[in-house]
Amino acid sequence: MLAEIITIGDEILIGQIVDTNSAWMATELNKIGIRVKQISSISDDKEHILKALAEAASRASIIFITGGLGPTKDDITKKTLAEYFGVELVENKDAFANVERIFAKYNRPLLEINKQQALVPANCEVVLNENGTAPGMWFNHNGVIYMSMPGVPFEMMYMMEGQVLPKIKATLKLPVIIHKTLLTVGEGESFLAERIADIENDLPSHIKLAYLPKLGQVRLRLSAFGEDEAALQKEVDAFATRFIERIGSPFVIDQDIPLEKAILDLMESNGLTLSVAESCTGGYLSHLFTQHPGSSQVFLGGAVSYSYELKESILGVKNETLWQHGAVSEETVKEMVEGALLNFKSDLAVAITGVAGPGGGTEDKPVGTVWIAVAAKEKSLIKKYTFGSKRRQNIERSAVMALSMLNTLLTQIKK
Amino acid sequence: MLAEIITIGDEILIGQIVDTNSAWMATELNKIGIRVKQISSISDDKEHILKALAEAASRASIIFITGGLGPTKDDITKKTLAEYFGVELVENKDAFANVERIFAKYNRPLLEINKQQALVPANCEVVLNENGTAPGMWFNHNGVIYMSMPGVPFEMMYMMEGQVLPKIKATLKLPVIIHKTLLTVGEGESFLAERIADIENDLPSHIKLAYLPKLGQVRLRLSAFGEDEAALQKEVDAFATRFIERIGSPFVIDQDIPLEKAILDLMESNGLTLSVAESCTGGYLSHLFTQHPGSSQVFLGGAVSYSYELKESILGVKNETLWQHGAVSEETVKEMVEGALLNFKSDLAVAITGVAGPGGGTEDKPVGTVWIAVAAKEKSLIKKYTFGSKRRQNIERSAVMALSMLNTLLTQIKK
């Protein structure tokens, strides 16, 4: 079953907002076995909307339209839908009651412009919008379903979850799709591909493998299409086991979660705590951890020690170490990680010091030189990396490599 | 001048990644007078790509294609482009040298699969990718420009900024557009709009004002269209001066830079240093500062004190303060900011402590309760905020409000 998503409105086209709606919808649709064939963002322009609708209908069986339903004059989606289906706009009782309800709730007078929110194309089935005045509209026209929804993310999400997805499942006969994602870190896409080539060749045509690389990590996603869910799951799991065994140490977890979340989960299940001593990453690694709910079970905190003075005062790095070897050195990163373990009283610690750039590089230590240490009481790993010249990437890569080293250390501690 | 953006690859269509590339590109294109007519995300499917290219070419003069250029076999963009233009794939010397350079840099053996990265359609002009092995490809075919780029955001961005945008400006005749952005913080969009309504009414039709709201900040962007650059600049500057005067204290800077960068610049020009004591923001505020080159001139570092113990040991918050008033309290945030000033020896300090959620809320201090303090030796501001229930937003809003308070404090110190 193929779907398309059409978002209407200039906000996305001028870059004012990022289209997060479509990614969310695509994820939800995938879960019930609907593949999104195309996502199109188009302007509030009648001819453009008409053409996009016709093109989408030529490719897909179900079309989701978001945006362009507000009361102001630049929102022409509804009129254009009526024209597309060759029907009139009529007032819908339920939609009008909903508009009245919402205005009453906020104690606002109902203006003429707001009453127009209850007008819908005559051939539509209204889907109630609990969180706003613009109604959802479901059309079934020449064998294609069209579902028009407001563009405000939470209005769309509640409508999809509460009404549209259940209605789709009740209306359409859907295939089963199963995804499984293997997260790996520290090995390039092409090396992984070569290592698992023969297993990949064994995949039957109804199971696809996709490589999803992102800054030092590669996600391998298996997608199986069919009818018998249990059999598909078994087949996918068997292939996943073969891939995991072959991949070896770069493998982290068989879930589609962020790397740092995988490490938090692993540490929490082992009752371990973590602290950090960040120099060149400047708080980014801490932020990666602390953006996740419940991270405080594992993450105690740490130091962002940008200056020499703070490396000494918070972490206890020796003054002579800094002046003899420099802030970006094996000796300093070792004292940083030891200082974090000692002062912050965590089971594990990470320290990162480097030249993020664009300034601050020397012949010895060019921009992109980064020392990372991870340590537990009984064991530590220290490694030097040479990244590139771009500050933001150096920060992100340093954090990812620190996570990769943490993953390795955790594997070694567990053994 | 109209453009279209086509993103290729299943990652967006299955919702695994959000398409941030397109929003960034649309913003940059708008700045040089190119309007994006449609953004299409399509799958790694030859027929679909061919159709999307033809459709885009029927509407726009310049087409940006991102994604689908990796070395693994699911990436078919390049072959499909060659078929679309009716040419062969040929090895490109510069692209090959670039692949070699990158593999040499990382000390990796060059595999057969990687050499294919240097193959390009015979009619293309290669645009060097400094940050990856997939070359950029510029085509000029039947009066339409096609620019294919890798989908990895930073590779695409550097390629656009360094080469593609300058090349577009040199190749196409574009109108003169001048933008001026006024950054404000701490005042809502509708309040600002009311305050400056009469000046907005004075704007001539060739100068547009856009409100760009984002988490506590509103950017006012003036865009002037015309032919005489100097005259446009003068006109825009005159209006900007009137707006700034009227806006008053929420105004931060007349540049389109991030809020934290504006504050770093302001502090650097006044020779001031900063340290932080972050609890609920967990390193995010530090990261905001340290992502900017040269931030170490101002930002000394600080503590991410997630646990009670670290609030005591690094910041010197008193044990009885924590137990009597709790970690999220006026008393604690005051001791945190004083501890940062004292221990980190900076001119200014910021402290943030709150309940980011989703857990940890109480009747007294529900999720979203955040205390923020900013202090210099002679003056401090402390304020309580009540944000919402979403963790990520609470973290971001806390950081923005801390920056807003820093901006206020800096204004008061300067006086």
Side-chain angles (χ1 to χ4, degrees), chain A residues 13 15-16 23 26-27 30 37-42 48 55 189-190 200 212 221 282-284 286-287 290-291 293 300-302 304 306-307 344 358 390-393, chain B residues 11 13-16 26 37-41 48 55 72-73 114 154 158 211-212 282-284 286-287 290-293 300-302 304 306-307 314 358 391-392:
Chain A
L13 294 175
Q16 185 165 351
T27 306
N30 254 273
K37 181 74 181 163
Q38 177 162 333
I39 300 168
S40 311
S41 293
I42 61 173
H48 199 178
E55 282 172 7
E189 184 180 357
S190 39
E200 190 174 352
L212 309 171
R221 193 189 60 228
Y284 180 68
S286 296
H287 168 58
T290 56
Q291 69 185 316
L300 304 182
V304 179
Y306 236 46
S307 66
F344 308 151
K390 308 284 186 242
R391 182 177 184 87
R392 180 176 281 264
Q393 284 163 49
Chain B
E11 300 93 323
L13 294 175
I14 65 160
Q16 186 150 8
K37 182 73 182 162
Q38 177 162 333
I39 300 168
S40 312
S41 293
H48 198 178
E55 282 172 6
T72 52
K73 59 187 170 190
N114 303 115
F154 75 86
Y158 282 106
Y211 291 81
L212 310 171
Y284 180 67
S286 296
H287 168 58
T290 58
Q291 69 185 317
H292 298 290
L300 303 182
V304 178
Y306 236 47
S307 66
I314 312 184
R391 182 179 183 86
R392 182 175 282 264

Coordinates of all heavy atoms in Angstrom, one line a residue, chain A residues 13 15-16 23 26-27 30 37-42 48 55 189-190 200 212 221 282-284 286-287 290-291 293 300-302 304 306-307 344 358 390-393, chain B residues 11 13-16 26 37-41 48 55 72-73 114 154 158 211-212 282-284 286-287 290-293 300-302 304 306-307 314 358 391-392:
Chain A
L13 N 8.7 26.1 2.5 CA 9.4 26.5 1.3 C 10.4 27.6 1.5 O 11.3 27.8 0.7 CB 8.4 26.8 0.2 CG 7.6 25.6 -0.3 CD1 6.5 26.1 -1.3 CD2 8.4 24.5 -0.8
G15 N 11.9 28.0 4.3 CA 12.9 27.5 5.3 C 12.6 28.0 6.7 O 13.4 27.8 7.6
Q16 N 11.4 28.6 6.9 CA 11.1 29.1 8.2 C 10.9 28.0 9.2 O 11.2 28.1 10.4 CB 9.9 30.0 8.1 CG 9.6 30.7 9.4 CD 8.6 31.8 9.2 OE1 8.3 32.2 8.1 NE2 8.1 32.4 10.3
A23 N 7.9 13.4 8.8 CA 8.7 12.3 9.3 C 7.9 11.5 10.3 O 7.9 10.3 10.4 CB 10.0 12.9 10.0
A26 N 5.2 9.5 8.5 CA 5.9 8.4 7.7 C 6.2 7.3 8.7 O 6.0 6.1 8.4 CB 7.1 8.9 7.0
T27 N 6.7 7.6 9.9 CA 7.0 6.6 10.9 C 5.8 5.8 11.2 O 5.7 4.6 11.3 CB 7.6 7.2 12.1 OG1 8.7 8.0 11.7 CG2 8.1 6.2 13.1
N30 N 4.5 3.6 8.3 CA 5.3 2.5 8.2 C 5.0 1.3 9.1 O 5.0 0.2 8.8 CB 6.8 2.8 8.4 CG 7.5 2.9 7.0 OD1 8.0 1.9 6.6 ND2 7.5 4.0 6.4
K37 N 5.5 7.0 -0.6 CA 6.2 7.0 -1.9 C 6.9 8.4 -2.2 O 7.9 8.5 -2.8 CB 5.2 6.7 -3.0 CG 5.7 6.7 -4.4 CD 6.5 5.4 -4.7 CE 7.0 5.4 -6.1 NZ 8.1 4.4 -6.3
Q38 N 6.2 9.4 -1.8 CA 6.7 10.8 -2.0 C 6.2 11.7 -1.0 O 5.0 11.6 -0.6 CB 6.4 11.3 -3.4 CG 6.9 12.7 -3.7 CD 7.0 13.0 -5.2 OE1 7.1 12.2 -6.0 NE2 6.9 14.3 -5.5
I39 N 7.0 12.7 -0.5 CA 6.6 13.8 0.3 C 6.8 15.0 -0.5 O 7.9 15.3 -1.0 CB 7.4 13.9 1.6 CG1 7.2 12.6 2.4 CG2 7.0 15.1 2.4 CD1 8.2 12.4 3.6
S40 N 5.7 15.8 -0.7 CA 5.9 17.1 -1.5 C 5.5 18.2 -0.6 O 4.4 18.2 0.0 CB 5.0 17.0 -2.7 OG 5.2 15.8 -3.4
S41 N 6.3 19.3 -0.6 CA 6.0 20.5 0.0 C 5.7 21.5 -1.1 O 6.6 21.8 -1.9 CB 7.1 21.0 0.9 OG 7.3 20.2 2.0
I42 N 4.5 22.1 -1.1 CA 4.2 23.0 -2.2 C 3.6 24.3 -1.6 O 3.2 24.3 -0.4 CB 3.2 22.3 -3.1 CG1 1.9 22.0 -2.4 CG2 3.8 21.1 -3.8 CD1 0.8 21.5 -3.3
H48 N -1.0 24.8 -8.5 CA 0.1 23.9 -8.0 C -0.5 22.8 -7.1 O -0.1 21.6 -7.2 CB 1.1 24.7 -7.2 CG 2.4 24.1 -7.0 ND1 3.5 24.6 -6.4 CD2 2.9 22.9 -7.3 CE1 4.5 23.8 -6.3 NE2 4.2 22.7 -6.9
E55 N -1.0 14.3 -9.4 CA 0.2 13.5 -9.5 C 0.3 12.4 -8.4 O 0.6 11.3 -8.7 CB 1.5 14.4 -9.5 CG 1.8 15.1 -10.8 CD 2.9 16.2 -10.6 OE1 3.5 16.2 -9.5 OE2 3.2 16.9 -11.6
E189 N 30.9 2.7 6.4 CA 29.8 2.0 5.6 C 30.4 1.0 4.7 O 29.9 -0.2 4.7 CB 29.0 3.1 4.9 CG 27.9 2.6 4.1 CD 27.2 3.7 3.3 OE1 27.6 4.9 3.5 OE2 26.2 3.4 2.6
S190 N 31.4 1.3 4.0 CA 31.9 0.4 3.0 C 32.6 -0.8 3.6 O 32.5 -1.9 3.0 CB 32.8 1.1 1.9 OG 33.6 2.0 2.6
E200 N 24.4 -10.5 3.1 CA 23.4 -9.6 2.4 C 22.9 -10.3 1.1 O 21.7 -10.2 0.8 CB 24.1 -8.3 2.0 CG 23.1 -7.2 1.5 CD 23.8 -5.9 1.3 OE1 25.0 -5.7 1.7 OE2 23.1 -5.0 0.8
L212 N 22.4 3.2 6.8 CA 22.1 4.6 7.2 C 23.2 5.2 8.0 O 23.3 5.0 9.2 CB 20.8 4.6 8.0 CG 19.6 3.9 7.4 CD1 18.4 3.8 8.4 CD2 19.2 4.6 6.1
R221 N 19.4 -1.3 8.5 CA 18.0 -1.5 8.8 C 17.5 -2.6 7.9 O 17.5 -2.5 6.6 CB 17.2 -0.2 8.5 CG 15.8 -0.3 9.0 CD 14.9 0.8 8.6 NE 14.9 0.9 7.2 CZ 15.0 2.0 6.5 NH1 15.3 3.1 7.0 NH2 15.0 1.9 5.1
G282 N 32.9 20.9 24.9 CA 32.2 22.1 25.6 C 30.8 21.9 26.0 O 30.0 22.8 25.9
G283 N 30.5 20.7 26.5 CA 29.1 20.5 27.1 C 28.2 19.6 26.1 O 27.2 19.2 26.5
Y284 N 28.7 19.4 24.9 CA 27.9 18.7 23.9 C 27.6 17.2 24.3 O 26.5 16.7 24.2 CB 28.6 18.7 22.5 CG 27.8 18.0 21.5 CD1 26.6 18.5 21.0 CD2 28.3 16.8 20.9 CE1 25.8 17.9 20.1 CE2 27.5 16.2 19.9 CZ 26.3 16.7 19.5 OH 25.6 16.0 18.6
S286 N 27.6 16.0 27.4 CA 26.7 16.1 28.6 C 25.3 16.3 28.0 O 24.3 15.7 28.5 CB 27.0 17.2 29.5 OG 28.3 17.0 30.1
H287 N 25.1 17.2 27.1 CA 23.8 17.5 26.5 C 23.2 16.2 25.8 O 22.0 16.0 25.9 CB 23.9 18.6 25.5 CG 22.7 18.8 24.7 ND1 21.4 19.0 25.2 CD2 22.5 18.8 23.3 CE1 20.6 19.1 24.3 NE2 21.2 19.0 23.1
T290 N 21.9 14.2 28.7 CA 20.9 14.7 29.5 C 19.6 15.1 28.8 O 18.6 15.4 29.4 CB 21.4 16.0 30.3 OG1 21.8 16.9 29.3 CG2 22.5 15.6 31.3
Q291 N 19.6 15.0 27.4 CA 18.4 15.2 26.7 C 17.4 14.1 26.9 O 16.2 14.2 26.6 CB 18.7 15.5 25.2 CG 19.1 14.2 24.5 CD 19.5 14.4 23.1 OE1 18.9 15.1 22.3 NE2 20.7 13.9 22.6
P293 N 15.1 11.5 29.0 CA 14.4 11.3 30.2 C 15.1 10.2 31.0 O 15.5 9.2 30.5 CB 13.0 10.9 29.8 CG 12.8 11.4 28.5 CD 14.2 11.4 27.8
L300 N 25.9 11.7 36.4 CA 26.0 12.5 37.6 C 26.3 14.0 37.3 O 25.9 14.9 38.0 CB 27.1 12.0 38.6 CG 27.0 10.6 39.0 CD1 28.1 10.3 40.0 CD2 25.6 10.3 39.7
G301 N 27.0 14.2 36.2 CA 27.4 15.5 35.8 C 28.8 15.6 35.5 O 29.4 14.5 35.1
G302 N 29.4 16.8 35.6 CA 30.8 16.8 35.3 C 31.3 18.3 35.0 O 30.6 19.2 35.4
V304 N 32.8 21.3 32.4 CA 33.2 21.8 31.1 C 34.4 22.7 31.4 O 34.2 23.8 31.9 CB 32.0 22.6 30.5 CG1 32.4 23.1 29.1 CG2 30.8 21.7 30.3
Y306 N 37.0 24.5 30.0 CA 37.6 25.1 28.8 C 38.9 25.8 29.1 O 39.8 25.6 28.3 CB 36.6 26.2 28.3 CG 36.1 26.0 26.9 CD1 35.7 24.7 26.5 CD2 36.1 27.1 26.0 CE1 35.3 24.5 25.2 CE2 35.7 26.8 24.7 CZ 35.3 25.6 24.3 OH 34.9 25.4 23.0
S307 N 39.1 26.4 30.2 CA 40.3 27.1 30.5 C 41.3 26.2 31.3 O 40.9 25.2 31.9 CB 40.0 28.3 31.4 OG 39.6 27.9 32.7
F344 N 34.2 13.3 41.1 CA 32.8 13.2 40.8 C 32.2 11.9 41.3 O 31.0 11.6 41.2 CB 32.5 13.5 39.4 CG 33.1 14.7 38.8 CD1 33.4 14.8 37.5 CD2 33.3 15.8 39.6 CE1 34.0 16.0 37.0 CE2 33.9 17.0 39.1 CZ 34.2 17.1 37.8
P358 N 38.2 26.7 14.5 CA 39.1 26.8 13.4 C 40.5 27.3 13.8 O 41.5 27.0 13.2 CB 38.5 27.7 12.4 CG 37.6 28.6 13.2 CD 37.1 27.8 14.4
K390 N 36.7 21.3 10.6 CA 35.5 21.9 10.9 C 35.1 21.8 12.3 O 35.0 20.7 12.9 CB 34.3 21.4 10.0 CG 34.6 21.3 8.5 CD 34.5 22.7 7.9 CE 34.6 22.6 6.4 NZ 35.8 23.4 5.9
R391 N 34.9 22.9 13.0 CA 34.6 22.9 14.4 C 33.5 22.0 14.8 O 33.6 21.2 15.7 CB 34.4 24.4 14.9 CG 34.2 24.5 16.4 CD 34.0 26.0 16.7 NE 33.8 26.1 18.2 CZ 34.9 26.2 19.0 NH1 36.1 26.3 18.5 NH2 34.7 26.3 20.3
R392 N 32.3 22.3 14.2 CA 31.1 21.6 14.6 C 31.3 20.0 14.5 O 30.9 19.3 15.3 CB 29.9 22.1 13.8 CG 28.6 21.4 14.2 CD 27.5 22.0 13.4 NE 27.1 23.3 14.1 CZ 26.0 23.4 14.9 NH1 25.4 22.3 15.3 NH2 25.7 24.5 15.5
Q393 N 31.9 19.7 13.4 CA 32.1 18.2 13.1 C 33.1 17.6 14.1 O 32.9 16.5 14.6 CB 32.6 18.0 11.8 CG 31.7 18.1 10.7 CD 32.4 18.3 9.4 OE1 33.3 17.5 9.1 NE2 32.1 19.3 8.6
Chain B
E11 N 15.4 7.2 3.9 CA 15.5 7.6 5.3 C 14.4 8.6 5.7 O 13.8 8.6 6.7 CB 16.8 8.3 5.6 CG 18.0 7.4 5.4 CD 18.6 7.5 4.0 OE1 17.8 7.7 3.0 OE2 19.8 7.5 3.8
L13 N 11.6 9.1 3.9 CA 10.2 8.6 3.6 C 9.7 7.6 4.7 O 8.5 7.4 4.8 CB 10.2 7.9 2.2 CG 10.4 8.8 1.0 CD1 10.5 8.0 -0.2 CD2 9.3 9.8 1.0
I14 N 10.7 7.0 5.4 CA 10.2 6.1 6.4 C 10.3 6.8 7.8 O 10.0 6.3 8.8 CB 11.0 4.8 6.5 CG1 12.4 5.0 6.9 CG2 10.9 4.0 5.2 CD1 13.1 3.8 7.5
G15 N 10.6 8.1 7.7 CA 10.6 8.9 8.9 C 11.8 8.7 9.8 O 11.8 9.2 11.0
Q16 N 12.8 8.1 9.3 CA 14.0 7.9 10.2 C 14.7 9.1 10.5 O 15.3 9.3 11.5 CB 14.9 6.8 9.6 CG 16.0 6.4 10.5 CD 16.5 5.0 10.3 OE1 16.0 4.4 9.4 NE2 17.3 4.5 11.1
A26 N 16.5 26.2 1.5 CA 15.5 27.2 1.2 C 15.8 28.5 1.7 O 15.7 29.6 1.1 CB 14.1 26.7 1.7
K37 N 9.9 26.4 -5.2 CA 8.6 26.2 -5.7 C 8.0 24.9 -5.0 O 6.9 24.8 -4.7 CB 8.6 26.1 -7.2 CG 7.2 25.9 -7.8 CD 6.4 27.1 -7.8 CE 5.0 26.8 -8.4 NZ 4.0 27.8 -8.1
Q38 N 8.9 23.9 -5.0 CA 8.4 22.6 -4.4 C 9.6 21.9 -3.8 O 10.7 21.9 -4.3 CB 7.8 21.8 -5.5 CG 7.3 20.4 -5.0 CD 6.3 19.7 -5.9 OE1 5.5 20.3 -6.6 NE2 6.3 18.4 -5.8
I39 N 9.4 21.2 -2.7 CA 10.4 20.3 -2.2 C 9.8 18.9 -2.2 O 8.7 18.6 -1.8 CB 10.7 20.6 -0.7 CG1 11.2 22.0 -0.5 CG2 11.7 19.6 -0.1 CD1 11.2 22.5 0.9
S40 N 10.5 18.0 -2.9 CA 10.0 16.6 -3.0 C 11.0 15.6 -2.4 O 12.2 15.6 -2.7 CB 9.8 16.2 -4.5 OG 9.1 17.3 -5.2
S41 N 10.5 14.7 -1.6 CA 11.3 13.6 -1.0 C 10.8 12.4 -1.7 O 9.6 12.0 -1.6 CB 11.1 13.5 0.5 OG 11.6 14.6 1.1
H48 N 11.0 6.6 -10.5 CA 10.5 7.7 -9.7 C 11.4 8.9 -9.8 O 11.0 10.1 -9.9 CB 10.3 7.2 -8.2 CG 9.4 8.1 -7.4 ND1 9.1 7.8 -6.1 CD2 8.8 9.3 -7.7 CE1 8.3 8.8 -5.6 NE2 8.1 9.6 -6.5
E55 N 9.4 16.5 -13.9 CA 8.4 17.4 -13.3 C 9.0 18.7 -12.8 O 8.5 19.8 -13.0 CB 7.6 16.7 -12.2 CG 6.6 15.7 -12.7 CD 6.0 14.9 -11.6 OE1 6.2 15.1 -10.4 OE2 5.2 13.9 -11.9
T72 N 27.4 2.3 -1.4 CA 26.7 1.0 -1.4 C 25.7 0.9 -2.5 O 25.2 1.9 -3.1 CB 26.1 0.7 0.0 OG1 25.3 1.8 0.4 CG2 27.2 0.6 1.0
K73 N 25.2 -0.3 -2.7 CA 24.5 -0.6 -3.9 C 23.0 0.0 -3.9 O 22.4 0.0 -4.9 CB 24.4 -2.1 -4.2 CG 23.8 -2.9 -3.0 CD 24.0 -4.4 -3.4 CE 23.6 -5.2 -2.2 NZ 24.0 -6.6 -2.3
N114 N 34.9 2.0 -3.3 CA 35.2 3.5 -3.1 C 35.6 4.2 -4.4 O 35.3 5.4 -4.5 CB 36.2 3.7 -2.0 CG 35.8 3.0 -0.7 OD1 36.5 2.1 -0.2 ND2 34.7 3.4 -0.1
F154 N 26.4 18.2 6.8 CA 27.5 19.1 6.8 C 28.3 19.1 5.4 O 28.8 20.1 5.0 CB 28.5 18.9 7.9 CG 29.3 17.7 7.9 CD1 30.6 17.7 7.2 CD2 28.9 16.5 8.4 CE1 31.4 16.6 7.1 CE2 29.8 15.4 8.3 CZ 31.0 15.4 7.7
Y158 N 28.7 22.7 3.5 CA 30.0 23.3 3.1 C 30.1 23.5 1.6 O 30.6 24.4 1.1 CB 31.1 22.5 3.6 CG 31.4 22.7 5.1 CD1 31.0 21.8 6.1 CD2 31.9 24.0 5.5 CE1 31.2 22.1 7.4 CE2 32.1 24.2 6.9 CZ 31.7 23.3 7.8 OH 31.9 23.6 9.1
Y211 N 8.0 38.2 10.4 CA 8.2 37.9 11.8 C 8.6 36.4 11.9 O 7.9 35.6 11.4 CB 6.9 38.0 12.6 CG 6.5 39.5 12.7 CD1 5.8 40.1 11.7 CD2 6.7 40.2 13.9 CE1 5.4 41.4 11.8 CE2 6.3 41.5 14.0 CZ 5.6 42.1 13.0 OH 5.2 43.4 13.2
L212 N 9.8 36.2 12.4 CA 10.3 34.8 12.5 C 10.4 34.4 14.0 O 11.5 34.6 14.6 CB 11.6 34.7 11.8 CG 11.6 35.2 10.4 CD1 13.0 35.2 9.8 CD2 10.7 34.4 9.4
G282 N 21.7 20.6 31.6 CA 22.6 19.5 31.4 C 23.7 19.6 30.3 O 24.1 18.7 29.6
G283 N 24.3 20.8 30.2 CA 25.4 21.0 29.2 C 24.9 21.7 28.0 O 25.8 22.2 27.2
Y284 N 23.6 21.9 27.8 CA 23.1 22.5 26.6 C 23.5 23.9 26.4 O 23.9 24.4 25.3 CB 21.6 22.4 26.5 CG 21.0 23.0 25.3 CD1 21.2 22.4 24.0 CD2 20.2 24.1 25.3 CE1 20.6 22.9 22.9 CE2 19.6 24.6 24.2 CZ 19.8 24.0 23.0 OH 19.3 24.6 21.8
S286 N 26.2 25.4 27.8 CA 27.6 25.4 27.5 C 27.8 25.1 26.0 O 28.7 25.7 25.3 CB 28.3 24.4 28.3 OG 28.3 24.7 29.7
H287 N 27.1 24.1 25.5 CA 27.2 23.7 24.1 C 26.9 24.8 23.2 O 27.5 25.1 22.1 CB 26.4 22.5 23.8 CG 26.2 22.1 22.4 ND1 27.3 21.9 21.5 CD2 25.2 22.1 21.6 CE1 26.9 21.7 20.3 NE2 25.6 21.8 20.3
T290 N 29.9 27.1 23.2 CA 31.2 26.5 22.7 C 31.1 26.0 21.3 O 32.2 25.7 20.7 CB 31.7 25.4 23.6 OG1 30.7 24.4 23.7 CG2 32.0 25.9 25.0
Q291 N 29.9 26.0 20.7 CA 29.9 25.6 19.2 C 30.5 26.7 18.4 O 30.8 26.5 17.2 CB 28.5 25.3 18.8 CG 27.5 26.5 18.8 CD 26.1 26.2 18.5 OE1 25.8 25.4 17.6 NE2 25.2 26.7 19.2
H292 N 30.6 27.9 18.9 CA 31.1 29.1 18.1 C 32.6 29.3 18.2 O 33.1 29.3 19.3 CB 30.4 30.4 18.6 CG 28.9 30.3 18.4 ND1 28.3 30.4 17.1 CD2 27.9 30.2 19.3 CE1 27.0 30.3 17.2 NE2 26.7 30.1 18.5
P293 N 33.2 29.4 17.1 CA 34.7 29.6 17.1 C 35.0 30.8 18.0 O 34.3 31.8 17.9 CB 35.0 29.9 15.6 CG 33.9 29.3 14.8 CD 32.7 29.4 15.7
L300 N 34.8 30.4 30.0 CA 35.9 29.7 30.7 C 35.5 28.2 31.0 O 36.3 27.4 31.1 CB 36.1 30.3 32.1 CG 36.5 31.8 32.1 CD1 36.8 32.2 33.5 CD2 37.7 32.0 31.2
G301 N 34.2 28.0 31.1 CA 33.7 26.6 31.4 C 32.7 26.6 32.5 O 32.1 27.7 32.8
G302 N 32.6 25.5 33.2 CA 31.7 25.4 34.3 C 31.3 24.0 34.7 O 32.0 23.1 34.3
V304 N 28.4 20.9 35.0 CA 27.1 20.3 34.8 C 26.9 19.5 36.1 O 27.4 18.4 36.2 CB 27.2 19.4 33.5 CG1 25.8 18.8 33.3 CG2 27.6 20.2 32.3
Y306 N 24.5 17.6 37.9 CA 23.2 17.0 37.8 C 22.8 16.5 39.2 O 21.7 16.5 39.6 CB 23.3 15.8 36.8 CG 22.2 15.9 35.8 CD1 22.0 17.1 35.1 CD2 21.5 14.8 35.4 CE1 21.0 17.2 34.1 CE2 20.5 14.8 34.4 CZ 20.2 16.0 33.8 OH 19.3 16.1 32.8
S307 N 23.8 15.9 39.9 CA 23.5 15.3 41.2 C 23.7 16.4 42.4 O 24.3 17.4 42.2 CB 24.5 14.2 41.5 OG 25.8 14.7 41.6
I314 N 31.4 20.8 43.5 CA 32.0 21.8 42.5 C 31.6 23.2 42.8 O 32.4 24.1 42.6 CB 31.6 21.4 41.1 CG1 31.8 19.9 40.8 CG2 32.4 22.2 40.1 CD1 31.6 19.5 39.4
P358 N 10.3 14.2 31.8 CA 8.9 14.1 32.2 C 8.7 13.7 33.6 O 7.6 14.0 34.2 CB 8.4 13.1 31.2 CG 9.6 12.2 30.9 CD 10.8 13.1 30.9
R391 N 10.3 17.8 27.9 CA 11.7 17.9 28.4 C 12.6 18.7 27.5 O 13.2 19.7 27.9 CB 12.3 16.5 28.5 CG 13.7 16.4 29.0 CD 14.2 15.0 29.1 NE 15.5 15.0 29.6 CZ 15.8 15.0 31.0 NH1 14.8 14.9 31.8 NH2 17.0 14.9 31.4
R392 N 12.6 18.4 26.2 CA 13.5 19.1 25.2 C 13.2 20.6 25.2 O 14.1 21.4 25.2 CB 13.4 18.5 23.8 CG 14.3 19.0 22.8 CD 14.2 18.3 21.5 NE 14.9 17.1 21.6 CZ 16.2 16.9 21.2 NH1 16.8 18.0 20.6 NH2 16.8 15.8 21.2

